[in-house]
Amino acid sequence: MTGRTGRPPTLDEVAERAGVSRSAASRAINNAVHVSPATRRAVDRAVRELGYVPNVTAQALARQKVGAVVLAASHDNPDLLGDPFIGQVIVGVTTALENTELDLKLLLCHPERGHDRVRRMLRRPRADGVMVMALRGDDPLQRMVEESGLPAVYGGRPLHGQPELFVDVDNRGGGRTAAEHLVRLGRRRIATIAGPEDSHAAVARLEGVTDALSVANLDPTLVERADFTREGGARAMERLLDRDPDIDAVAVASDNMAVGAVRTLALHGRRVPEDVAVVGFDDLPIAELAYPPLTTVQQPIRSLGQEMARVLLAVVDGETPSSLLLPTRLVVRESAPLPT
């Protein structure tokens, strides 16, 4: 049988006849592992009805797939998997993969050790693609992923270079939102606890805070940096109070750091929010459980994982997806409430 113009039928016509997307039809025809039985039946029926002849080369490439993808995270903390952020990313990834037959391999890479093990894991045919998280500075994991030749999607952008495909959060917009909220509350001595200088997310969040404070003609230089921990936030808040005891608000680059900052403020007799309003970033469970509960910028962490996996699946199937920038939103609670 021939297609609508007398030529052999195309993959697009098979997809239309089967009532599925072109990528789904391609996956079924090439015997990809992540295809539902209903889709496979519909495509098989369309192929028979149209007399479609698959591309033999494409099928050969498909058979080389091993049915596994890697989620690689750079870390120097053995408790990384206990981090609620990484936990939510993993939940998102597994949700996206649950209707496939793909295995998920977790790979934790210390920035200074274990490089040989990482290279072995990223070498074909151990994986069909890789999702990369938590890159910092000139992280060797980025270079190893590039050298592997595997399809790759970055969760968050690295500080240096622009990867071909990434799923990121609007960190700069989120930082701007946090500072704008504090300005609307009438706060004028607004400090910032920023994340590490080698983190793209931390840099972008600080840029967003600086944007908003500059527009409001407020001093954007009351900044202390810390790692994304409660202890780091507590120490940074201590330094800020030493620099300026009249601080009346603080925008913090993570909820964990914000909890530490609130603790330091309490030790100094500063009430939250009466004396100092506090806004965090992430909207992790700790934000709602903190005392007082944290006003924070919510980033869609689980969606970050889902979209990383979705984009990677598209690449593995030969499609050309685009990078994504996910939105953030402000969640107002007692640490920086709206006026009543």
Side-chain angles (χ1 to χ4, degrees):
M1 184 178 295
T2 58
R4 295 170 182 167
T5 61
R7 52 168 172 68
T10 67
L11 179 60
D12 287 325
E13 290 168 348
V14 171
E16 182 179 350
R17 176 69 66 92
V20 300
S21 68
R22 187 181 192 279
S23 61
S26 175
R27 289 197 297 269
I29 290 170
N30 290 319
N31 294 315
V33 292
H34 42 289
V35 179
S36 70
T39 295
R40 200 179 297 278
R41 287 193 298 270
V43 172
D44 287 346
R45 184 168 56 251
V47 166
R48 290 195 303 272
E49 291 173 353
L50 292 173
Y52 176 77
V53 179
N55 183 297
V56 176
T57 301
Q59 286 191 307
L61 290 173
R63 284 193 292 270
Q64 294 176 10
K65 296 177 182 177
V66 297
V69 293
V70 172
L71 176 60
S74 186
H75 82 104
D76 54 10
N77 178 2
D79 298 324
L80 179 69
L81 288 179
D83 186 310
F85 179 91
I86 293 295
Q88 286 297 301
V89 170
I90 293 173
V91 169
V93 170
T94 55
T95 299
L97 297 180
E98 65 185 1
N99 291 323
T100 76
E101 298 179 19
L102 286 170
D103 292 329
L104 175 64
K105 300 179 179 181
L106 297 177
L107 177 60
L108 303 183
C109 176
H110 192 283
E112 299 175 359
R113 300 191 300 273
H115 293 174
D116 289 341
R117 181 175 61 87
V118 173
R119 288 191 179 92
R120 287 196 302 272
M121 177 67 79
L122 296 180
R123 188 178 302 133
R124 290 182 186 273
R126 293 175 181 266
D128 297 318
V130 58
M131 295 162 281
V132 190
M133 289 291 302
L135 289 180
R136 301 276 289 273
D138 293 316
D139 198 310
L141 178 58
Q142 181 179 357
R143 184 174 61 257
M144 286 186 280
V145 168
E146 292 170 353
E147 291 172 350
S148 75
L150 287 171
V153 178
Y154 288 76
R157 283 164 284 184
L159 189 62
H160 303 294
Q162 181 82 329
E164 182 176 352
L165 283 174
F166 64 84
V167 179
D168 203 358
V169 170
D170 185 9
N171 289 293
R172 186 165 187 162
R176 187 183 306 114
T177 297
E180 288 173 344
H181 177 69
L182 293 171
V183 171
R184 282 195 299 269
L185 296 181
R187 309 293 171 141
R188 290 297 177 263
R189 297 297 294 164
I190 301 174
T192 309
I193 298 178
E197 289 182 300
D198 62 354
S199 162
H200 182 277
V203 170
R205 291 172 194 179
L206 177 58
E207 288 172 343
V209 172
T210 300
D211 291 343
L213 296 183
S214 298
V215 168
N217 293 316
L218 298 177
D219 180 9
T221 64
L222 285 171
V223 179
E224 289 290 338
R225 293 188 178 275
D227 56 10
F228 291 117
T229 65
R230 297 184 206 180
E231 294 74 18
R235 291 191 296 268
M237 191 72 247
E238 191 81 46
R239 296 193 298 271
L240 285 170
L241 291 173
D242 287 342
R243 287 175 57 181
D244 189 341
D246 294 327
I247 288 168
D248 62 6
V250 57
V252 191
S254 80
D255 290 341
N256 282 330
M257 289 198 292
V259 169
V262 169
R263 183 176 63 195
T264 294
L265 289 166
L267 290 174
H268 283 261
R270 308 297 296 278
R271 298 169 300 165
V272 176
E274 293 86 352
D275 300 322
V276 182
V278 178
V279 177
F281 204 112
D282 288 330
D283 198 27
L284 296 174
I286 194 175
E288 194 168 6
L289 298 174
Y291 183 79
L294 287 173
T295 292
T296 188
V297 176
Q298 182 187 79
Q299 60 170 323
I301 304 172
R302 189 174 298 189
S303 294
L304 177 67
Q306 288 177 309
E307 293 299 333
M308 285 171 59
R310 185 189 66 79
V311 171
L312 183 62
L313 289 177
V315 177
V316 170
D317 289 334
E319 299 178 45
T320 54
S322 300
S323 295
L324 295 174
L325 190 66
L326 305 179
T328 58
R329 70 180 185 92
L330 186 71
V331 178
V332 178
R333 299 192 181 97
E334 286 86 337
S335 72
L338 293 168
T340 56

